[in-house]
Amino acid sequence: MKKILLLIALLVAFSGFGQDKEEVKVGLVLSGGGAKGLAHIGALKVIEEAGIKIDYIGGSSMGAIIGGLYAAGYTANQLDSIFHEINFNILIQDDIPRSSKTFYEKEEDERYALSLPFDNFNISFPSGLSKGQNIYNLMSKLTLHLGGNQDFSKLPIPFFCIAADIETGEQVILESGSLAKAVSASGAIPSVFSPVTIDRKILTDGGVINNYPVKELRNRGADIVIGVDVQDSLADRKHLKGVFEILTQINNFRTIAHMEENIALTDVYIKPNIKGFSVLSFEKGSAIIDSGEVAARNKLQNLQLIKEKQGEKKYLSEKVNTIDTINIDALSIEGNSSYPRAYILGKLNLKYDSNYTIGNLTDGINKLSATGNFNRINYSLTPKKDAYTLALQLEESQNKMFLRLALHYDNLYKSGALVNLTKKKLLVYE
C-alpha cells in the first residue's frame, strides 16, 4: 500500500513539473506615457532575446499602440524601424499634404492661423488639437494584414486595451472590432486628440482611468506578468508651468495612487529611466527606446528564469509582410447623411478592379479630411478571394459657421488683424 501511495505521489509531482514547463502563461502589461511609451520597444527587444513567448498583452494609451502592433505580429526590431521612420509632427498635428487640398482650402489654411466653430454666433473650441486622423491612417495601414473586424483573442498574441468613457467615467475594455480604431481610442490623449466613438461610446485615453491594467491581465489567466511602466512620478511646482503639464499631473493622481498594489501583482517590473522626457518628446525616440532596453537588460536574469519555466515555447519571430497594392471591388459607406456617395467617391478617386495602393487610399482619405466636413473618417478593408471591400464609417461635422482669425502685416497698413466669418452650405462656402 505504501509503495502504491509513493508511486501516486511521484506521478503527481512529475505531472505538476510537466505542467509548469508546458502550460505556464506569460502576460505583458504596457503602461501609457505618450512618447515615453517608445521605451516599450527597447524592453521588447530584450524579452525576445530571452526567448520568452508572450501569451497575453494588455495596455493603455501608448502601451496599447505598441502592444497592439506587437500582438498583430510585428517584432521588436520591426517596430523600431517603423517608429524611426515616422514624422511625429505630421502624425500628431494632422498635417494634410498640400496636394490633398483644393485651391480654396490651401488659400484659407495659409491665410488664417486659427479657425473656431461659430454656430449660432457662439464661439466653441475643438475637442482636441488634432482629430487623430493621421494616427488612425497609420494604424490601419500597419494592421491591414489582419483583415476586417477582429476578435483580439485570435490575434497572433491575444490582446486587449483600455479606454475611458467620457460620459460615465468608466473603464472600457476593448478586445474586438477594428484594432486600429481601438488603439486610437486608447491613445487619444485628452486635449491633444479628439475622442473616438466606438459602439456609441465616446472614448478617450485609457491612461485616464487605468494606465497599468495588470489586474485585467491576471483575470485573463496570466500566471506570470512582465510589466513595463513608463509613467511619471508627481512633478514639483517648478515643472508645472503650462496647462499641459498641469493636466498631466492631475491625470497622474489616480495612476500613482494604485501603483504600489499594481507592482505587487507584477512578477518582473521594468521601470525605464524616462526623466527628461515628456509625453510629446517624440524627437528623442532613439534615446527613449534605448532607456527601455537598458531597464529590461537589468532584469535579464529574471526574464531568463521565466523562459526556463516555459520550456521549449518560442516567441513570435516571423516578420509581418506589409501590403502595399490592393484591389478594391466594392465600397460601403455609413454616416453620410449630408454628403452623397458621388461626392465621397470623387474625393477618394477610387478605381475599382485596378492597382490601387495604400498611398492612393491615404491620399483619398486626406482629401476627404481636408474638406473639414468630417470629424473622423474610419475605414476597414475586408479581404475576399482576389480583392478587398472598402467600408467607410464617416462622422460628419455639425459645424456650419466658422470664425477665422489671423495677424497681418504690410508696409502700407503695418500690423493688423484679419477676421473672417465663413458659413458653409451643403458642399460650398459663402
Side-chain angles (χ1 to χ4, degrees), residues 25 45 77 98 115 134 176 241 250 271 289 364 374:
K25 301 292 185 182
K45 289 182 181 180
N77 283 332
R98 267 186 117 254
S115 180
N134 284 341
S176 64
K241 297 180 179 180
I250 294 170
K271 179 70 175 174
I289 290 172
F374 305 96

Side-chain angles (χ1 to χ4, degrees), residues 167-182:
E167 291 185 294
T168 65
E170 295 177 346
Q171 168 178 289
V172 177
I173 298 177
L174 300 171
E175 48 193 347
S176 64
S178 163
L179 180 61
K181 196 172 182 180

